[in-house]
Amino acid sequence: MSEHAVAGTQTVPIQITLNGEPRSLSVSPVTTLLDLLRNHLDLTGTKKGCDHGQCGACTVLIDGQRFNSCLQLAVMQDGKAITTIEGLAQDGRLHPLQAAFIEHDAFQCGYCTPGQICSAVALIEEGRATSREEIREFMSGNLCRCGAYTNIVDAIEDVAVRRRQPLQEAAE
């Protein structure tokens, strides 16, 4: 018996790891990952913006890579690890990027912030955040209608630099 059945006449069983917790679900073949997260699992941090993969508000991490959840069918996630904004904080402590977004005032309305942060986590893990220009380029799939881009780049750069420093000091 599945932990949670998602609306639809026909369902498909899937196993995922969601924010570090194994989950058994039955999902309709037409349910997007975004709708599964928001409407059926009550993880509303992931936002529905354009619903066409153009704004990045729905960005989540799937096996550590960033994806627009509005373009992913939930059934395609069988066996995968999915991390949403709700899963980034550990042991009651904000993820360094969450803290940096607060410190650098990298949001105004906050609607795009969860997607921005998830995308930035992957960007730093990919090792591509080596300059402000690269950060801007590789974050270009995440739009901010409020125009907080300068502060967003500041926050990402701050975390990327702090992350690289111990590696550079160890090499010296």
Side-chain angles (χ1 to χ4, degrees):
M1 181 64 70
S2 72
E3 170 188 326
H4 196 288
V6 176
T9 54
Q10 175 193 11
T11 61
V12 176
I14 63 169
Q15 302 281 326
I16 61 173
T17 301
L18 181 59
N19 295 328
E21 299 291 324
R23 304 287 297 262
S24 296
L25 306 165
S26 290
V27 298
S28 167
V30 298
T31 301
T32 65
L33 178 57
L34 174 61
D35 287 338
L36 174 69
L37 294 171
R38 289 186 57 78
N39 301 336
H40 304 289
L41 299 175
D42 296 323
L43 293 172
T44 57
T46 304
K47 303 301 183 204
K48 184 177 270 200
C50 67
D51 214 20
H52 289 89
Q54 298 175 339
C55 72
C58 67
T59 304
V60 298
L61 303 174
I62 302 173
D63 289 340
Q65 295 184 307
R66 51 192 159 153
F67 285 92
N68 292 334
S69 61
C70 71
L71 298 179
Q72 301 293 312
L73 292 174
V75 295
M76 296 168 50
Q77 310 317 312
D78 189 32
K80 296 187 178 174
I82 299 161
T83 305
T84 67
I85 191 72
E86 292 92 346
L88 291 178
Q90 297 294 315
D91 301 321
R93 296 182 59 170
L94 292 177
H95 185 281
L97 274 162
Q98 291 171 312
F101 266 62
I102 293 168
E103 180 183 335
H104 290 277
D105 197 24
F107 51 88
Q108 288 182 32
C109 79
Y111 197 82
C112 72
T113 305
Q116 295 274 1
I117 291 173
C118 284
S119 191
V121 166
L123 172 69
I124 290 172
E125 289 298 318
E126 292 163 3
R128 296 182 176 184
T130 59
S131 70
R132 291 183 70 80
E133 294 73 29
E134 281 187 351
I135 292 169
R136 283 189 192 98
E137 176 65 27
F138 289 113
M139 290 293 293
S140 64
N142 292 83
L143 304 180
C144 173
R145 289 185 171 192
C146 299
Y149 294 112
T150 300
N151 296 0
I152 291 168
V153 172
D154 289 345
I156 296 168
E157 182 180 44
D158 184 31
V159 172
V161 166
R162 279 190 270 149
R163 184 158 189 204
R164 283 193 306 266
Q165 279 178 337
L167 295 175
Q168 291 171 345
E169 290 170 6
E172 292 174 357

